[in-house]
């Protein structure tokens, strides 16, 4: 099959139409703009009532989200930030989950005007990792301490679903002896950032053991989307991308991740688009997004738009949009990445983020070659703002009272999607989120965070990080031993047994 034939067979119109309502998708521009205009001068009591709903871990309506997006009063903004952090702590405690991206290919058939990977960018050097190169990259990531990664692929026949499945098998099969010589470490969770696919191809990834499937809509505004994505490309089809998560659900992948690239259009509209997306997933499947990402556009090689878009998001607006997302979809994880400067990322985590990356390298083959982005500018999609090592970021956050987690237990124990509890679906309260709403899943995650943090401190931490980490982990142990939930559920003896065994050299024990 030649390139033209491959491109023509990717989009399946029937796998768009089945999700439409009366031929319409869930992005209603008139409604979104109408709500943003209607609530331009929000009432203080109305805002506080909405904050209480967030604290009850309930998905906000688009109208309620519009109210929060219009808040300008400094005092109310501070109340929103405080509520956002309370929501995060209620659902996820003081954990920060770490991962790193593994870029497997930069060949792409699309021509997105803001992206370094676009097909007409002659300055980009193209490469698809061989399975041996995938193995070497994975080894380098494990040797730094990583146990979770997100594998990233361009849209191209050389990096199709079969290639992705093969690379996943290679990653999962890669093991490294621990620095102490006790047992081995490996990647326990592979999330995938790849192009929208058919249900048939998504089932291949499900069978290969995919973790979370991530697709960013880029921009939810159809007109702006058309300006940035040429109509004669696969990505030019707005609705094919819009319903990528719906197809993933139908394929059996119940952990999906949505996001927008902030800077392509007005940030308030994008936040509204994300909330509408969460609502439609809950409406059709009873399961909301596992995570939401909000990357800001960064400079990309050969892209004028990436540095000159009229919609670039300033730091103050960035703080506000993260706060509103935390409140609007309170059950979901929020991901802040190394795109951001170190000092801003540290601040944004206090607005309710739950996941971040570190020691990230986005050049093709950059981990095993130990190249920073300045040495590899013609193989990266965009430029990072924070290139610190995993150890440095963990040490900083531990000093701030955040415990690092590499936990993958929930996924391997089946606590995902609508399998997390056998409860009936209710409007805008998915089965997947029941344990999150009640704070139960967070308690299991707290135990597993301590276990995986213990592993990291034993195997990879520098002396200073170990010193700070030991102080934090002792505090966590005291807190766990004092919580009635763990004693009532008779979880404490098993946890303490696992902790002692990990401290003695065993690995990958989880609750």
């Amino acid at each position: 099959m030649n390139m033209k034939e491959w491109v023509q067979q990717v989009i399946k119109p029937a796998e768009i139409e089945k999700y439409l309502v009366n031929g319409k998708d869930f992005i209603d521009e008139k409604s979104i703009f109408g709500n943003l205009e209607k609530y331009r001068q929000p009432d203080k009591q109305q805002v506080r009532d909405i904050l209480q709903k967030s604290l009850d871990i309930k998905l906000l309506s688009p109208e309620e989200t519009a109210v929060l997006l219009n808040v300008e009063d400094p005092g109310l903004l501070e109340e929103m930030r405080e509520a956002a952090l309370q929501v995060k702590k209620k659902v996820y405690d003081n954990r920060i989950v770490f991962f790193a991206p593994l870029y497997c290919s930069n060949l792409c058939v699309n021509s997105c005007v803001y992206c370094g990977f676009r097909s007409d960018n002659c300055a980009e050097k193209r490469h698809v990792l061989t399975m041996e190169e995938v193995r070497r990259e994975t080894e380098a990531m494990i040797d730094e301490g990583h146990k979770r990664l997100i594998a990233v692929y361009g849209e191209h026949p050389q990096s199709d679903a079969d290639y992705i499945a093969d690379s996943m098998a290679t990653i999962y099969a890669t093991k490294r002896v621990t620095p102490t010589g006790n047992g081995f470490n490996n990647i326990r969770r592979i999330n995938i950032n790849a192009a929208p696919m058919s249900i048939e191809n998504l089932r291949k990834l499900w069978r290969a053991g995919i973790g979370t499937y991530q697709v960013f809509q880029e921009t939810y505004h159809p007109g702006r989307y058309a300006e940035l994505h040429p109509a004669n490309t696969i990505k030019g089809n707005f609705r094919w991308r819009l319903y990528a998560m719906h197809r993933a659900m139908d394929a059996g992948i119940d952990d999906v991740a949505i996001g927008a690239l902030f800077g392509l259009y007005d940030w308030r509209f994008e936040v509204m688009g994300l909330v509408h997306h969460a609502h439609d997933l809950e409406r059709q499947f009873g399961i909301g997004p596992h995570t939401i990402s909000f990357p800001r556009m960064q400079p990309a090689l050969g892209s004028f738009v990436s540095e000159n878009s009229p919609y670039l998001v300033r730091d103050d607006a960035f703080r506000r949009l993260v706060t509103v997302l935390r409140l609007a979809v309170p059950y979901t994880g929020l991901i802040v990445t190394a795109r951001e400067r170190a000092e801003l990322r540290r601040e944004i985590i206090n607005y309710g983020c739950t996941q971040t990356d570190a020691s990230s390298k986005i050049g093709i083959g950059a981990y095993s070659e130990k190249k920073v982005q300045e040495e590899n500018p013609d193989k990266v999609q965009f430029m990072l703002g924070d290139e610190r090592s995993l150890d440095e970021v963990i040490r900083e956050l531990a000093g701030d009272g955040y415990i690092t987690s590499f936990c993958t237990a929930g996924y391997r124990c089946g606590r995902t999607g609508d399998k997390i509890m056998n409860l009936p679906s209710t409007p805008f309260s998915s089965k997947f989120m029941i344990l999150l709403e009640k704070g139960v899943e967070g308690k299991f995650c707290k135990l597993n965070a301590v276990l995986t943090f213990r592993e990291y401190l034993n195997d990879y931490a520098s002396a200073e990080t170990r010193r700070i980490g030991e102080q934090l982990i002792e505090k966590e142990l005291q807190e766990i031993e004092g919580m009635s939930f763990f004693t009532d559920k008779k979880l404490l003896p098993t946890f303490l047994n696992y902790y002692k065994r990990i401290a003695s050299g065993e690995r990958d024990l989880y609750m």
Side-chain angles (χ1 to χ4, degrees), residues 353-368:
C353 295
T354 61
Q355 294 191 28
T356 196
D357 58 329
S359 68
S360 298
K361 298 183 184 301
I362 58 175
I364 310 299
Y367 287 104
S368 56

Side-chain angles (χ1 to χ4, degrees), residues 31 35 59 93 113 171 268 311 337 360 410 423 465 476 489:
S31 173
N35 282 326
L59 177 65
D93 205 77
V113 300
I171 293 166
R268 292 177 177 84
Y311 302 104
T337 72
S360 298
L423 295 173
T465 299
E476 293 292 310
K489 301 295 182 183

Side-chain angles (χ1 to χ4, degrees), residues 22 63 70 72 89 122 124 149 177 222 259 270 275 289-290 315 320-321 339 342 350 360 366 388 400 436 493 498 504:
N22 297 322
E63 293 79 8
N70 277 300
E72 299 287 348
K89 288 182 176 178
C122 298
E124 187 82 6
L149 62 78
V177 175
E270 306 296 16
V275 172
H290 184 72
D315 288 354
R320 290 180 61 186
L321 74 87
R339 285 175 179 254
N350 285 311
S360 298
R388 290 177 298 163
D400 291 342
L436 293 177
Y498 283 2
S504 299

Side-chain angles (χ1 to χ4, degrees), residues 150-288:
I150 183 162
V152 185
Y153 307 83
E155 185 162 24
H156 194 275
Q158 290 187 44
S159 54
D160 60 8
D162 293 319
Y163 171 84
I164 294 173
D166 288 344
S167 63
M168 288 173 64
T170 299
I171 293 166
Y172 277 134
T174 303
K175 295 180 172 63
R176 299 288 281 175
V177 175
T178 65
T180 55
N182 296 319
F184 64 86
N185 280 319
N186 63 310
I187 298 298
R188 302 170 186 170
R189 166 91 169 176
I190 306 172
N191 299 335
I192 297 297
N193 181 310
M197 300 180 196
S198 66
I199 294 172
E200 177 186 3
N201 281 330
L202 286 164
R203 286 194 178 119
K204 293 179 182 179
L205 303 189
W206 179 75
R207 289 192 292 269
I210 187 175
T212 301
Y213 177 55
Q214 181 186 75
V215 174
F216 296 164
Q217 187 60 28
E218 316 297 18
T219 174
Y220 282 92
H221 187 268
R224 182 61 171 163
Y225 187 97
E227 293 175 11
L228 300 167
H229 307 96
N232 61 344
T233 62
I234 298 172
K235 199 165 178 178
N237 190 311
F238 178 79
R239 286 178 170 174
W240 179 246
R241 196 168 191 87
L242 192 65
Y243 287 101
M245 301 294 95
H246 293 60
R247 294 192 297 278
M249 293 284 195
D250 272 337
I253 303 171
D254 53 17
D255 267 13
V256 298
I258 62 176
L261 180 54
F262 282 84
L264 296 180
Y265 193 62
D266 180 78
W267 63 272
R268 292 177 177 84
F269 189 96
E270 306 296 16
V271 170
M272 293 290 284
L274 288 164
V275 172
H276 277 278
H277 204 160
H279 273 274
D280 205 69
L281 288 170
E282 288 220 12
R283 181 184 67 82
Q284 298 208 39
F285 299 97
I287 307 171

Side-chain angles (χ1 to χ4, degrees), residues 327-342:
L327 295 166
V329 196
Y331 56 69
T332 198
L334 292 187
I335 301 176
V336 59
T337 72
R339 285 175 179 254
E340 302 301 333
R341 306 185 316 277

